[in-house]
Amino acid sequence: MAFELPPLPYDYAALEPTIDEATMKLHHDKHHQTYVTNLNGAVEKYPDLGKKTPEELLADLASIPEDVRAVVRNNGGGHVNHTMFWQIMKPKGGGDPIGDIGTQIDTDFGSFADFKKKFNETTAKQFGSGWGFLVFKGGKLEIVTKPNQDSPISDGLFPILGNDVWEHAYYLKYNNRRPDYLAAWWDVVNWDEVNKRFAQAKK
Ligand code: MN
């Protein structure tokens, strides 16, 4: 298989009470696995695509044969988005952002509190399934939302962090209360990993 499901870097219950064990099991083992399986299915017919990284596929969707382009966009996006998502969370995470990303957040948004408010409000409004992302564009941090599994990588932007607002990410615990999930999520953010991604975004 060209692409593989990465193991979760902590136990399914490790993000309790912010994200419940049942949600993590379904989200990682079923939803993310399905994106990987479907991406592998799409590239079976075009073995050269399987030699690229999923990020390379998303960065140049126009070069993907038309009959599999939408499948690669949706499932390659799903694979890359979720791989990031597991890594930018950790048990006993959260707190104020540290390092360069903390400084940049203060510069571009005024304070962490202002940034969180703007990120949560913007992402809460994403209609239907999608993601809220933090990207670095023209020397400034910017909050963007994307529908479905679309990735900022397809716009030439590297996602520094992102939160999944598909209902599968929160419905078991938070039901229809997406804003409550968004507000709670910051308690599990892994700022060390976010700093690594910020360094990559600046390159
Ligand atoms: Mn998801």
Side-chain angles (χ1 to χ4, degrees):
M1 285 292 143
F3 303 104
E4 282 182 19
L5 179 69
L8 200 63
Y10 33 75
D11 293 339
Y12 296 108
L15 304 182
E16 294 261 14
T18 308
I19 304 180
D20 58 290
E21 180 176 8
T23 294
M24 289 300 287
K25 270 189 182 154
L26 282 168
H27 202 172
H28 177 269
D29 294 5
K30 303 295 181 190
H31 291 276
H32 190 172
Q33 178 65 66
T34 300
Y35 298 125
V36 172
T37 302
N38 290 345
L39 181 61
N40 280 321
V43 303
E44 237 167 47
K45 197 173 148 192
Y46 302 100
D48 282 351
L49 296 182
K51 292 175 194 151
K52 297 190 176 190
T53 66
E55 289 84 358
E56 285 169 340
L57 297 176
L58 296 175
D60 191 11
L61 287 172
S63 73
I64 310 286
E66 207 178 344
D67 61 328
V68 296
R69 192 179 299 152
V71 183
V72 169
R73 175 180 178 167
N74 292 332
N75 293 281
H79 181 30
V80 168
N81 287 339
H82 287 86
T83 299
M84 169 200 70
F85 190 56
W86 314 131
Q87 289 170 349
I88 61 159
M89 300 190 291
K90 68 169 186 180
K92 300 190 176 75
D96 287 342
I98 49 168
D100 287 350
I101 194 66
T103 308
Q104 195 74 40
I105 284 172
D106 287 344
T107 302
D108 292 338
F109 297 99
S111 69
F112 179 45
D114 288 332
F115 162 65
K116 267 199 301 194
K117 187 169 185 281
K118 192 172 178 195
F119 186 95
N120 292 351
E121 283 175 0
T122 305
T123 307
K125 281 186 223 150
Q126 164 61 34
F127 184 74
S129 298
W131 290 73
F133 292 103
L134 181 66
V135 297
F136 195 59
K137 187 179 176 185
K140 286 185 80 166
L141 294 171
E142 203 172 290
I143 296 159
V144 295
T145 58
K146 289 280 174 190
N148 307 313
Q149 295 295 350
D150 285 359
S151 168
I153 292 172
S154 301
D155 304 326
L157 298 167
F158 184 78
I160 298 164
L161 66 75
N163 197 358
D164 186 347
V165 291
W166 283 58
E167 286 183 345
H168 67 227
Y170 61 85
Y171 214 87
L172 290 182
K173 182 179 169 82
Y174 297 89
N175 306 137
N176 61 329
R177 300 182 305 277
R178 184 190 282 186
D180 291 356
Y181 161 70
L182 282 162
W185 180 74
W186 299 100
D187 288 344
V188 292
V189 170
N190 178 347
W191 289 112
D192 289 323
E193 188 62 29
V194 173
N195 266 296
K196 283 185 204 159
R197 298 183 66 89
F198 181 42
Q200 198 168 337
K202 284 192 282 188
K203 277 182 194 162

